[in-house]
Amino acid sequence: FSNPTCAPGRYTITHLFEWKWTDIADECEKFLGPYGYCGVQISPPNENRVVTSPNRPWWERYQPVSYKLVTRSGTEAEFRNMVDRCNKVNVRIYADVVINHMTGGGSGSGTGGSHYDGGSLSYPGVPFSSWDFNAGSECHSGDGDIHNYNDPNEVRNCRLVSLRDLKMSKDYVRDKVADYMNNLINIGVAGFRVDAAKHMWPGDLRAVFGKLHNLNTKYFNSGQKPFIFQEVIDMGGEAIKAAEYTPIARVTNFIYGIKIADVFRGNNPAKYLKNWGSAWGMPSPFDVVVFIDNHDNQRGHGGGGGVLTHFEHRAYKMATAFMLAHPYGFTRVMSSYDWPRNIVNGEDKNNWYGPPHNGDMSIKGRSIKADLSCGNGWTCEHRWRQIYNMVAFRNLVFGTTVNNWWDNGNKAIAFSRGNRGFIVINDDTADVNANLQTGLPQGTYCDVISGNYENGACTGNEVHVGGDGRAHFHISHQSEDPVVAIHIGKLL
Ligand code: QV4
Ligand code: CA
C-alpha cells in the first residue's frame, strides 16, 4: 500500500482542507491537472455530527455518524462527479478516513440526517451498537479516555478526547469499515489518509486493509492497490512507534515539519541539511508522507505548534521550496483557509473556525484572481507561484540524486538534482553573491521562483549557465523570496 497511485510524472499531492466537491472537480480540471499535481487529499467524505457550539467547527468532520457520503463538502452525486472528473485529468483523490471512532458524547443528527447517540453508543446509519465499541474490558484508564500515551493498550483501546472507540478486533466492525473504504475504491478514489492510526492496533489495520479491493479499472491498471498513509504522530517520546506501522503502509512524518521550521527560522543553520533524511532520525524516504504543516498543527491541534504555516509566508515558501526540491519522502502541500487568529496565553481561541461560509453555513466557493491566487478567504498555498512551480520542478527532476552541494558555512545552501535542476536558498543575513557549479547543461534558464516561462519568455530572472556548468547567483538577504530555482524544463 506504500506506492503512491499517481499518474506517470506526478509526485505531489495537496490537501484541499474543507473544500467543496464541486470546487475540487473544477480545480482538478483548471489547475491541478495542468500544473502537474498528482492528487488531492480531501476532508472526510462520510456523514459527521453537526456541531453548533461552536458553530460548525472544522473538527466536526472528525466525528463520524455513518458512512453515507453526505457532508458540508457536498452530496454523494457531487462526490462521484468530482472523482470522475479529477481522474479524467489524471488527478487522484485520496480520502481522509476516520475509522478509529464515531462521535463524542451527546445525541442528535448528522450531516446526512442519520441519528446518533454517543451516550447509548447507537449509530443506526451504519449500523453500530454498543457491542461494537471498546469498553471496560478493553480500556482500563478509569474514565474511558486516553491519558497515558506511554501505555499502548490505553492509546488503542480507550477514547481519544472522548470519541467513542470502535472495537476493531471484531469481524463485524472490520467488515463495516472495509465496506466503506471499498465503496470509495469502487467510486474511483486512489487511496487513503487513515486518521488516528496510532489509536488502532497494527494487526487490526492489517486485517481491514487485507479486505480492500484493487483500484477501479475504469481509471487504473488492473491489480493496483490503494495508496495508504497512516496518521501516526511519533516524535520519539512515546511508547508507540511509527516503525510498527511502516511494514503495513506509509506514515505521516511529523518530525519533518518541526526540524524544517527550526532551520528556516534560522535556529539551526541550513548547511546541516546536507545529509537531510534518515540521518536526521527520520524513517526511510519510501515509508513517509512529508509536509511543512498540516490541518492540525497549523492551528495548534494534535500536539501542534512550532511548525511554519502560511502566516509566516517568507519562511514558509523557502521551506516548501526545499521540501519539493529534495528527494526525501512523498510530498504533500497544505492548502488552507484564513481565519482570525486570537492567541491568548499561547493558545488560539479561534482555532476551531470552520471554512469560509455563506449565511446558511454552506461552504463558500473559492474565487480565482488574475495571478492565479485565491479569494473568498481561501489561502490556496498550492496556487502560490513559488510553490506550484516547485511541484513542477520535482516532477522534472524525479529519480535524480542531490549533487553539487554548496553552502556558505552557515545559512545559505545550493544543490542540484542530477543534471536536471538546481536550487539556491539564502536564509542568511548577508547576500549570496557566488559563482556556483549547477551541474546543468549550458544555456539560459528561467528562475521559476521569481517568474514564469510564458509564451517563450521568462517573466522572472534569467540565469546563464556556462559551458562549464557554472552560473552566477546574486540573492539579496532582504528579498521576500531569497530563492532561485532553475530546471531543464524552463530552458529558454
Ligand atoms: C473534549 C475534551 C475531552 C472531553 C470531551 C467531553 O477534550 O477530554 O472528554 O470534550 O465532551 C473535539 C473537541 C474536543 C472534544 C472532542 C469530543 O476539540 O475538545 O473533547 O471533540 O467532543 C479533531 C480535533 C479535535 C476534535 C476532534 C473531533 O483536533 O480537537 O475534538 O477532531 O471532533 C492526537 C492523535 C491524532 C489526532 C490529534 C488531534 O494521536 O490522531 O491528537 N489527529 C487526528 C486528526 C484530528 C482529529 C482526530 C485525529 C480525531 O488529524 O484533526 O481531531 O479524529 O495526537
Ligand atoms: Ca482505538
Side-chain angles (χ1 to χ4, degrees):
F1 303 111
S2 293
N3 281 336
T5 37
C6 304
R10 296 168 184 262
Y11 301 97
T12 299
I13 60 171
T14 180
H15 180 193
L16 298 183
F17 179 52
E18 287 278 15
W19 279 46
K20 302 197 292 185
W21 306 150
T22 50
D23 267 9
I24 295 179
D26 191 56
E27 191 72 357
C28 286
E29 295 171 347
K30 296 216 173 88
F31 192 81
L32 302 173
Y35 285 82
Y37 280 89
C38 155
V40 184
Q41 178 184 319
I42 57 167
S43 282
N46 66 302
E47 175 172 22
N48 62 265
R49 173 186 203 163
V50 175
V51 174
T52 50
S53 175
N55 203 7
R56 311 305 302 267
W58 63 270
W59 48 254
E60 69 170 33
R61 299 188 68 169
Y62 291 90
Q63 301 201 26
V65 164
S66 82
Y67 300 128
K68 292 175 187 151
L69 302 179
V70 189
T71 60
R72 253 177 122 188
S73 282
T75 62
E76 175 171 347
E78 287 165 342
F79 180 81
R80 288 177 179 273
N81 180 263
M82 165 187 74
V83 173
D84 183 59
R85 285 166 61 192
C86 290
N87 274 322
K88 281 185 174 142
V89 292
N90 287 319
V91 179
R92 305 310 191 201
I93 298 295
Y94 300 91
D96 191 350
V97 289
V98 185
I99 57 177
N100 171 65
H101 52 259
M102 301 298 279
T103 65
S107 63
S109 52
T111 48
S114 305
H115 181 72
Y116 71 88
D117 185 345
S120 62
L121 300 175
S122 164
Y123 297 88
V126 179
F128 282 141
S129 66
S130 59
W131 305 106
D132 303 316
F133 292 85
N134 286 322
S137 44
E138 292 81 24
C139 163
H140 311 291
S141 73
D143 65 358
D145 281 358
I146 301 170
H147 303 286
N148 179 7
Y149 274 82
N150 283 314
D151 177 355
N153 197 78
E154 186 168 321
V155 174
R156 284 152 173 163
N157 290 350
C158 298
R159 295 170 175 174
L160 169 62
V161 291
S162 87
L163 301 164
R164 289 4 189 194
D165 204 57
L166 283 166
K167 194 173 190 170
M168 199 74 93
S169 54
K170 267 188 80 173
D171 279 332
Y172 176 79
V173 174
R174 291 176 178 179
D175 283 338
K176 285 293 165 189
V177 167
D179 286 351
Y180 165 47
M181 293 172 76
N182 278 329
N183 183 36
L184 296 175
I185 287 175
N186 296 344
I187 290 171
V189 309
F192 307 98
R193 172 216 184 238
V194 177
D195 182 70
K198 182 163 90 180
H199 302 277
M200 294 177 275
W201 294 95
D204 290 343
L205 287 177
R206 229 184 246 286
V208 170
F209 299 164
K211 294 173 189 281
L212 297 181
H213 300 165
N214 288 333
L215 298 182
N216 186 334
T217 52
K218 183 174 176 198
Y219 311 112
F220 301 90
N221 296 331
S222 65
Q224 249 192 295
K225 298 236 178 288
F227 175 48
I228 297 180
F229 53 106
Q230 310 161 97
E231 189 222 7
V232 178
I233 305 181
D234 174 9
M235 305 296 291
E238 293 172 17
I240 296 174
K241 305 288 174 213
E244 297 171 57
Y245 294 86
T246 48
I248 308 173
R250 290 203 190 217
V251 295
T252 48
N253 178 0
F254 282 87
I255 299 173
Y256 193 101
I258 298 288
K259 302 248 190 219
I260 282 290
D262 222 30
V263 170
F264 289 101
R265 286 210 182 98
N267 299 328
N268 187 23
K271 66 171 178 179
Y272 292 122
L273 291 172
K274 186 170 187 178
N275 66 352
W276 181 243
S278 307
W280 284 57
M282 303 192 292
S284 146
F286 309 107
D287 284 336
V288 290
V289 168
V290 298
F291 44 91
I292 304 300
D293 61 330
N294 82 345
H295 73 280
D296 284 328
N297 63 20
Q298 72 169 196
R299 46 177 50 71
H301 276 242
V307 296
L308 290 169
T309 71
H310 61 88
F311 290 114
E312 282 168 79
H313 42 87
R314 186 174 184 272
Y316 191 74
K317 285 181 285 181
M318 262 194 271
T320 305
F322 175 78
M323 173 179 85
L324 292 168
H326 195 281
Y328 178 85
F330 183 73
T331 42
R332 177 177 68 189
V333 169
M334 180 66 202
S335 187
S336 317
Y337 54 79
D338 193 20
W339 77 95
R341 285 194 301 183
N342 177 20
I343 298 173
V344 180
N345 295 328
E347 201 199 320
D348 180 2
K349 295 288 172 203
N350 287 343
N351 68 5
W352 59 270
Y353 261 64
H357 52 266
N358 303 305
D360 63 356
M361 296 312 284
S362 61
I363 299 178
K364 200 183 257 183
R366 54 96 175 88
S367 62
I368 304 299
K369 301 178 185 164
D371 66 355
L372 299 182
S373 69
C374 292
N376 276 0
W378 297 94
T379 311
C380 289
E381 296 92 309
H382 72 287
R383 276 178 170 266
W384 294 2
R385 185 189 63 242
Q386 301 86 342
I387 293 178
Y388 70 72
N389 273 342
M390 288 307 296
V391 168
F393 179 107
R394 188 176 194 76
N395 291 345
L396 248 127
V397 303
F398 188 78
T400 63
T401 51
V402 171
N403 298 110
N404 298 297
W405 180 271
W406 170 87
D407 60 64
N408 69 347
N410 199 18
K411 300 176 183 173
I413 59 169
F415 60 92
S416 83
R417 292 292 306 276
N419 59 1
R420 300 177 67 82
F422 188 73
I423 185 165
V424 190
I425 305 178
N426 183 12
D427 190 28
D428 221 317
T429 47
D431 292 2
V432 161
N433 212 336
N435 192 268
L436 304 176
Q437 177 55 253
T438 67
L440 300 186
Q442 179 170 17
T444 298
Y445 293 80
C446 182
D447 167 30
V448 297
I449 299 294
S450 58
N452 276 314
Y453 179 69
E454 279 160 8
N455 310 319
C458 181
T459 62
N461 302 321
E462 292 183 0
V463 176
H464 305 281
V465 174
D468 60 355
R470 303 190 75 89
H472 186 259
F473 295 89
H474 179 230
I475 305 180
S476 163
H477 71 285
Q478 288 168 327
S479 168
E480 162 70 17
D481 292 312
V483 180
V484 171
I486 55 178
H487 60 68
I488 55 162
K490 302 282 156 113
L491 185 53
L492 303 177

